[in-house]
Amino acid sequence: MSNAEESWYFTQNGERKGPISIDLLNSLVGKGKLDPVSDLVWGPGLNDWTKAGELEALKPAYAALEAEKVAAVVQAEPDAVAAPQPVLEEEDSPPPPPEYVPVPTPVLEQQDAEPVSAAEDNEVLAAAMEERRQKRELEQGLSRGKFIGGSFALHLIGILIIAVIYGQLFMNLGMELENSLQMAEQMESAETQKSMLSAGMLANAVSLIMTLVTVLMVISRLTNLGMSRWNFLWFMVPLANIWIGYRVVACPAGYANHTTLDGAGKGLAFLYFAAMLLPFVLIGGIYFAASSGAFGDGTELQSLLENLQSLEQLNQSPLPDQH
């Protein structure tokens, strides 16, 4: 008998017993030693203790036991209502029945099974339940790979949609971007500003949808990590958002319980923190280059800043009256 067949546990009068095979469980049912309601069973395919009468593998045995009880009752009823028999005289009395010799019931033993102490039994059961719990955690929420892939696809699609919105706007207006002065003059018209306002509203709507979907993905990912869904609020707290971002990007499923970072998680953690430091490195490099005169005397940069300021003032100015 394999170990897989001997992995069933049961309770009897509140006491846990096992492991035994499913055939031995059926034998106990046939002998009426396993109550279908008060006694519980647990084994392969079950997530928790289940009433013995609700286990599919034991239902045929319970049905056969019930049929035997019904047959016994039906057989006993005619004897209960039968007419009284005349008392036989001594000479007509039948011979007494032979003496009943009970046949010993064979003891159910497990072949090749070593005795298991109660402590070892509890350890085996606890390990099996823990394995099942961890398996359920892996099946809940977004996994690390799905979260990273889904986030990348979501933001890529959002950026493409916003690019199409503004690209179509410039194509419809026939705006010449080669000359910043012509661009500024064209933006003074009411039609241009209305078109840009509509495009901005569409872009904001796309950004809002992306934000809501991202929040739902983060909540699902936190569930996969074994953390509370309310932890997504840490994204609104400076520095804490870096920590929660590290959790959802790099940590494997159930990390809140086992706190073990695998090889892939270590690599993702390195890339994550490197991406966090990259903007500071770039800003420092630009500042150093500007201080050393790498951008010349700064005339071109000053001209660009002035053009950007003029465009911002035009966007903030009220729309001109239409005539």
Side-chain angles (χ1 to χ4, degrees), residues 174-187:
M175 187 173 293
E176 296 290 342
L177 300 179
E178 297 179 357
N179 191 318
S180 60
L181 183 59
Q182 293 180 0
M183 179 179 177
E185 293 176 352
Q186 189 170 355
M187 289 185 65

Side-chain angles (χ1 to χ4, degrees), residues 206-224:
V206 173
S207 300
L208 178 60
I209 294 174
M210 290 174 57
T211 302
L212 293 176
V213 175
T214 301
V215 169
L216 294 177
M217 292 176 64
V218 169
I219 291 175
S220 180
R221 177 73 176 116
L222 291 173
T223 302
N224 180 256

Side-chain angles (χ1 to χ4, degrees), residues 77 119 149 250:
E77 285 180 353

Side-chain angles (χ1 to χ4, degrees), residues 25-232:
L25 275 179
N26 278 286
S27 178
L28 292 175
V29 172
K31 296 177 180 181
K33 295 183 178 181
L34 201 62
D35 189 270
V37 178
S38 61
D39 292 336
L40 307 177
V41 295
W42 179 84
L46 299 180
N47 293 329
D48 203 350
W49 289 94
T50 304
K51 293 180 180 179
E54 297 179 359
L55 185 65
E56 293 294 334
L58 299 182
K59 287 184 177 181
Y62 279 113
L65 180 63
E66 188 66 23
E68 291 179 2
K69 293 180 179 179
V70 172
V73 172
V74 172
Q75 186 177 2
E77 285 180 353
D79 298 337
V81 298
Q85 300 293 328
V87 179
L88 298 177
E89 298 181 358
E90 185 175 354
E91 60 271 17
D92 297 332
S93 299
E99 184 180 358
Y100 172 72
V101 178
V103 179
T105 303
V107 180
L108 299 177
E109 296 182 355
Q110 300 179 16
Q111 299 179 358
D112 302 331
E114 298 180 355
V116 180
S117 64
E120 294 176 349
D121 185 17
N122 292 337
E123 291 179 0
V124 172
L125 184 60
M129 296 295 288
E130 177 66 16
E131 182 180 356
R132 291 179 181 275
R133 184 187 62 78
Q134 293 179 1
K135 184 177 179 181
R136 287 197 299 269
E137 286 180 352
L138 293 175
E139 297 173 352
Q140 292 176 354
L142 280 179
S143 64
R144 179 173 54 193
K146 291 181 180 180
F147 175 79
I148 295 175
S151 299
F152 178 79
L154 173 66
H155 288 81
L156 179 61
I157 293 173
I159 291 173
L160 290 177
I161 293 175
I162 293 175
V164 169
I165 291 173
Y166 281 105
Q168 188 66 33
L169 170 66
F170 293 136
M171 290 178 60
N172 293 338
L173 296 176
M175 187 173 293
E176 296 290 342
L177 300 179
E178 297 179 357
N179 191 318
S180 60
L181 183 59
Q182 293 180 0
M183 179 179 177
E185 293 176 352
Q186 189 170 355
M187 289 185 65
E188 292 181 356
S189 65
E191 181 181 356
T192 300
Q193 293 199 10
K194 285 183 177 180
S195 299
M196 292 194 67
L197 179 61
S198 299
M201 293 177 64
L202 287 176
N204 290 335
V206 173
S207 300
L208 178 60
I209 294 174
M210 290 174 57
T211 302
L212 293 176
V213 175
T214 301
V215 169
L216 294 177
M217 292 176 64
V218 169
I219 291 175
S220 180
R221 177 73 176 116
L222 291 173
T223 302
N224 180 256
L225 291 171
M227 300 173 62
S228 171
R229 296 177 175 87
W230 291 105
N231 280 302
F232 83 93

Side-chain angles (χ1 to χ4, degrees), residues 285-298 300-301:
I286 293 173
Y287 178 79
F288 176 79
S291 301
S292 60
F295 297 116
D297 56 359
E300 295 83 355
L301 183 60

